Amino acid sequence: MKKFVWGLSALMMFAWMGCSDKGTDPNPNPDPDPEPDKEYVIPTYNDDYTWTGDDIASWSDRSKWNLANVHDPSVAFYDGYYYMYNTDASFGNEHEGHGHFQGKRSTDLVNWEWVGGPFYDPPSWVADSLNNIRSRMGLSAIATDDIQYGYWAPVVRKITVGGQEKLRMYYSIVINNYIKTGNPLSDAFDGSWSERAFIGMCESTDPAGASWEDKGYVTCSSSDRGLDYSRASTNDWSGYFYYNAIDPTYIVTNAGEHYLIHGSWHSGFTILELNASTGKPVNTLGEPYANNVTDLTSRYGKRIATRSSNSRWQGSEAPEIVYKDGYYYLFMAYDGLDVPYNTRVCRSTSIDGPYYGSDGANVTAGADCYPIVTHPYQFNNHSGWVGISHCAVFQNEDGDWFYASQGRLPAGTNGNAYANAIMMGHVRKIRWTASGWPVVMPERYTGVPESAITNDELVGSWECITLRYSYANMQKSTQLVLNEDGTATGALTGSWSFNSSTNTLTIGNVTLCIEREVDWEANPREVTIVFSGLTVDKKYSIWGKKVD
């Protein structure tokens, strides 16, 4: 284990005018008398826990997981801890029978301990709601024991209701049975769509004790095709559901309005206004089907973004909305989650849109979304990471911004044909560029003390990656050299300069946010300097780290 001791007297507070990691209200009262010395330790946990002789996939080893087995995370600060809840993604499905929304907590966003999730059996309201809808559609009930459940993508927020702080969680439960017969999807195709998904809600004032009160049904998948749930084959993706009720995100606006946004792989993302006290929709939703889009969306929510206005089946999901400096930023996941997953972001001055990308295109109307903030990538000396999306975006208690998501290893890593099923939680810092767009740092967050970076430290060799879109392919690093004479060669060219007051590195006409972070690919890991920024057209992120 490598340790570094940093004197805090050597640290400096950065102005961050060019690249900011702060919110609109950073901590106005920093500790006036910090400790004279503070020990900093680089994380040593292994990203691939299947080849070291210490396979920790099993449920009995959950206390050792740290950030292993994380998928679709959501993070909220409560009672001195950052709580993370996510889809349980144990390698080899060793979690079966032990609960489906994994919990963790941390005081530093680096080291995480396991805590219990909200429940371990499907809530009874799901079967009741499902069969009540089926009855009104003229369909037979599915026996409770025959319902096949899938558990996905919770979102958690700290809220105050009636003067009491609590955590509120929205969670997704998918029903893996056919609509027509009610048979499991593993049975023969019956000519119909799979059943709908449901979003429920629960609350807790004691997440450490895994004590949650379930509040039940919020919404479900909804269709604009009435009772016509037929399809020609399992490859027919023309779409019965218009909105898919999974992947919720939840935001409380500055005006105190509460909104739920959700959607995955169907027609786009919908927004529902919620009652602040109950957490349920303000308007009566009525039946989750209608004979046209207008009738459906008047009840089940306005569409605020879609990958293609002409496609009923599209590789976009997992909306996440945050507010900063006059804009609502909508992050979303593109493409399949195993390898090609990548994260995009757009923004709007209004919570319900329209949302525009960095190129000015209208994402609400179906334009492609830019910039790309994460993408499959590979630095040297490592297998690389793929499937990097479905993010949580949040601030810590000091006002710094963070991005959390899964990261998957490519298939075949360390000779494991199933390595792509290994998921690790990644937590990274977000910087905000001068143009107002966020960029995610290339290396995972470890809390490296923010000591001043000098011009001389930047001279030398770097690895640089531009995250241009390439479906299911990792973008690989190329060499960048910053020369003593102020010129750059390799991946970026032109003159370079460093502005210590804004902590920005300019190379040619590209401006990059820069900071200290850990080189996770080095062996042993060590502190280095990293950067992140956008290409001149603001469509693609540029990542780099110093290697010599």
Side-chain angles (χ1 to χ4, degrees), residues 125-126 129-130 133 136-137 171 173 175 195-200 217-223 241-246 260 262 270 272 281 285-289 296 300:
W125 67 261
V126 180
S129 296
L130 170 68
I133 293 171
R136 297 194 299 272
M137 293 176 67
Y171 56 87
I173 296 184
I175 306 301
E195 262 294 0
R196 65 196 67 247
F198 292 88
I199 293 176
Y217 176 91
V218 176
T219 189
C220 68
S221 302
S222 53
S223 171
F241 295 117
Y242 190 80
Y243 292 137
N244 195 7
I246 68 171
L260 186 76
H262 65 83
T270 181
L272 280 175
L285 299 182
E287 297 294 359
Y289 45 85
L296 180 74
Y300 276 77

Side-chain angles (χ1 to χ4, degrees), residues 18-21 324 329 331 343 345 371-374 393 401-403 428-442 467 504 510-515 531-535 538-543:
C19 292
S20 172
D21 59 352
K324 184 180 186 297
Y329 288 85
F331 295 78
T343 306
V345 66
I372 295 175
V373 294
T374 69
V393 178
W401 287 87
F402 291 84
Y403 170 106
R428 305 167 189 267
K429 261 196 169 181
I430 289 176
R431 299 296 194 196
W432 298 86
T433 64
S435 60
W437 291 101
V439 291
V440 172
M441 302 311 290
L467 301 183
T504 53
V510 173
T511 300
L512 305 159
C513 307
I514 195 165
E515 67 175 22
F531 65 65
S532 185
L534 294 174
T535 53
K538 299 182 178 63
K539 293 178 69 172
Y540 310 104
S541 292
I542 305 174
W543 285 359

Side-chain angles (χ1 to χ4, degrees), residues 314-378:
Q314 52 189 264
S316 63
E317 63 180 6
E320 173 79 320
I321 294 184
V322 299
Y323 179 82
K324 184 180 186 297
D325 297 340
Y327 287 100
Y328 293 92
Y329 288 85
L330 170 59
F331 295 78
M332 67 185 74
Y334 263 38
D335 301 329
L337 55 81
D338 51 352
V339 174
Y341 235 17
N342 61 100
T343 306
R344 314 290 184 101
V345 66
C346 51
R347 68 186 184 186
S348 174
T349 56
S350 175
I351 183 67
D352 62 352
Y355 283 83
Y356 295 93
S358 57
D359 58 355
N362 188 334
V363 177
T364 296
D368 223 5
C369 182
Y370 291 101
I372 295 175
V373 294
T374 69
H375 186 283
Y377 74 97
Q378 184 180 22

